[in-house]
């Protein structure tokens, strides 16, 4: 990567404090691990993004859009490309009757809370998911029977040429932990959602119940990326891992949670290598014992 040329270009229209080199990714992921990013850019607004992305694309510089870092494992060696972190300008939220317009950098928890305050139902499942709205759409995040595809009606996005696109729901190809954004280099900018009118107290009670279940069943006291593996058809990943005798299994400082075997946790100063090796061993053992392929839900960066 021609870092010098990129930095010189960026400094023609961006503040220096929004551009960092060798930024430790351990500061930006929920696993709390990861080496440095080649260049880390805090993107202040859409106009800057429209100038950055086509430059990276035309110069064949790899880049990654960072949400809240809750589904990401960055290697200990880091990522040689560019990390784009969308700033506050991308975190807006507006409500019109039963419609919501939400910026990609808005957190799912805030979106769910604002909906509840407006007596709108449909986002209770998202209250305890720590990711961003953009990331939630990319992976069609879900929990407790709800998922983003149930409420999203369209997305405003940017392609690699910096052109703005408005994608209707049927164009989003949202499936289990999947969407068109996993297949195309489009960047989610803004999400439209349709909810249902409800009773505020009932909505709040459901959110509190889901959060109680999370506290009770998930190892929230340790750094992790939530569920480490996708649910295989006809099975539950956590149960397969438990039945394989891997509850509490460790590699270095990484461990299969004793509280919920679907979670790989950073229990004691794990490295990214510890976490990746542990996940690979879990996959190997489950395949060997049950002939089931576990597919990671975690995104690997810098490998």
């Amino acid at each position: 990567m021609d870092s010098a040329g990129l930095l010189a270009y960026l400094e023609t229209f961006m503040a220096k404090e929004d551009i960092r080199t060798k930024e430790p990714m351990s500061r930006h992921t929920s696993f709390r691990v990861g080496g440095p990013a080649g260049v880390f850019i805090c993107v202040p607004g859409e106009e800057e993004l429209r100038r950055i992305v086509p430059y990276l694309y035309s110069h064949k510089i790899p880049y990654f859009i960072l949400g809240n870092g809750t589904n990401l494992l960055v290697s200990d060696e880091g990522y040689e490309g560019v990390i784009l972190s969308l700033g506050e300008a991308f975190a807006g939220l507006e409500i019109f009757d039963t419609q919501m317009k939400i910026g990609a950098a808005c957190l799912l928890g805030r979106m769910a809370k604002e909906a509840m305050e407006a007596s709108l139902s449909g986002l209770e499942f998202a209250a305890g998911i720590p990711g961003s709205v953009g990331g939630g759409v990319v992976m069609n995040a879900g929990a407790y029977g709800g998922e983003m595809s149930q409420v999203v009606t369209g997305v405003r996005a940017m392609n690699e040429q910096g052109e703005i696109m408005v994608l209707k729901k049927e164009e989003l190809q949202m499936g289990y932990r999947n969407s068109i954004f996993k297949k195309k280099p489009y960047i989610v900018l803004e999400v439209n959602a349709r909810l249902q009118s409800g009773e505020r107290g009932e909505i709040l009670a459901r959110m509190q119940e889901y959060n109680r279940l999370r506290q009770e069943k998930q190892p929230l006291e340790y750094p992790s990326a939530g569920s480490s593996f996708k649910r295989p058809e006809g099975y539950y990943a956590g149960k397969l891992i438990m039945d394989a005798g891997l509850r509490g299994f460790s590699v270095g400082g990484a461990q299969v949670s004793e509280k919920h075997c679907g979670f790989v946790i950073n229990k004691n100063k794990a490295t990214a290598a510890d976490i990746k090796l542990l996940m690979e061993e879990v996959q190997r053992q489950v395949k060997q014992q049950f002939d089931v392929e576990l597919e990671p839900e975690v995104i690997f960066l810098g490998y």
Side-chain angles (χ1 to χ4, degrees), residues 79-94:
Y79 176 64
E80 290 185 1
V82 174
I83 297 287
L84 299 175
S85 177
L86 305 184
E88 277 298 307
F90 297 91
L93 187 150
E94 296 176 89

Side-chain angles (χ1 to χ4, degrees), residues 3-13:
S3 295
L6 171 62
L7 294 172
Y9 173 70
L10 293 173
E11 287 171 10
T12 63
F13 62 92

Side-chain angles (χ1 to χ4, degrees), residues 85-275:
S85 177
L86 305 184
E88 277 298 307
F90 297 91
L93 187 150
E94 296 176 89
I95 298 176
F96 316 89
D97 193 25
T98 59
Q99 313 282 321
M100 289 185 89
K101 184 184 286 185
I102 319 109
C106 177
L107 294 181
L108 289 163
R110 180 191 162 210
M111 177 182 70
K113 183 175 183 291
E114 296 276 1
M116 179 271 293
E117 297 285 5
S119 299
L120 294 175
S121 177
L123 286 170
E124 293 89 331
F125 74 90
I129 300 176
S132 66
V133 172
V137 169
V138 170
M139 68 170 291
N140 190 18
Y144 301 111
E147 59 182 20
M148 292 298 285
S149 63
Q150 295 168 358
V151 296
V152 172
T153 57
V155 169
R156 193 164 163 274
M158 183 182 291
N159 67 14
E160 60 271 36
Q161 278 86 35
E163 298 163 342
I164 301 299
M165 316 159 62
V166 178
L167 301 171
K168 296 176 184 173
K169 180 171 184 174
E170 55 270 22
E171 297 175 282
L172 300 176
Q173 299 175 23
M174 297 179 86
Y176 176 62
R177 301 296 176 264
N178 203 1
S179 72
I180 192 170
F181 302 102
K182 289 271 193 116
K183 306 157 198 166
K184 302 270 190 180
Y186 302 157
I187 300 171
V188 177
L189 302 175
E190 199 171 65
V191 177
N192 290 311
R194 180 181 292 118
L195 306 174
Q196 301 86 42
S197 295
E199 201 280 307
R200 184 182 179 278
E202 292 176 4
I203 296 165
L204 177 59
R206 280 194 291 275
M207 287 167 61
Q208 290 173 335
E209 174 62 9
Y210 291 156
N211 282 330
R212 183 190 69 78
L213 290 170
R214 281 189 174 94
Q215 293 283 349
E216 188 180 289
K217 298 184 176 182
Q218 298 178 6
L220 303 180
E221 65 273 26
Y222 293 105
S224 80
S227 296
S228 301
F229 299 97
K230 295 180 182 179
R231 187 177 66 242
E233 198 169 340
Y235 299 91
Y236 289 99
K239 186 169 189 318
L240 285 168
I241 296 165
M242 181 176 68
D243 291 348
L246 294 169
R247 182 193 292 276
F249 172 70
S250 298
V251 172
Q255 185 188 64
V256 172
S257 168
E258 295 175 90
K259 195 172 185 181
H260 188 316
C261 292
F263 283 61
V264 170
I265 59 173
N266 179 351
K267 188 169 184 184
N268 185 24
K269 299 179 182 175
T271 63
D274 292 341
I275 294 166

Side-chain angles (χ1 to χ4, degrees), residues 278-296:
L278 185 145
M279 290 183 68
E280 288 169 350
E281 181 59 18
V282 166
Q283 288 174 293
R284 191 186 71 77
Q285 293 256 15
V286 168
K287 173 67 174 171
Q288 183 182 61
Q289 294 186 45
F290 306 110
D291 198 29
V292 177
E293 300 273 3
L294 285 182
E295 185 183 345

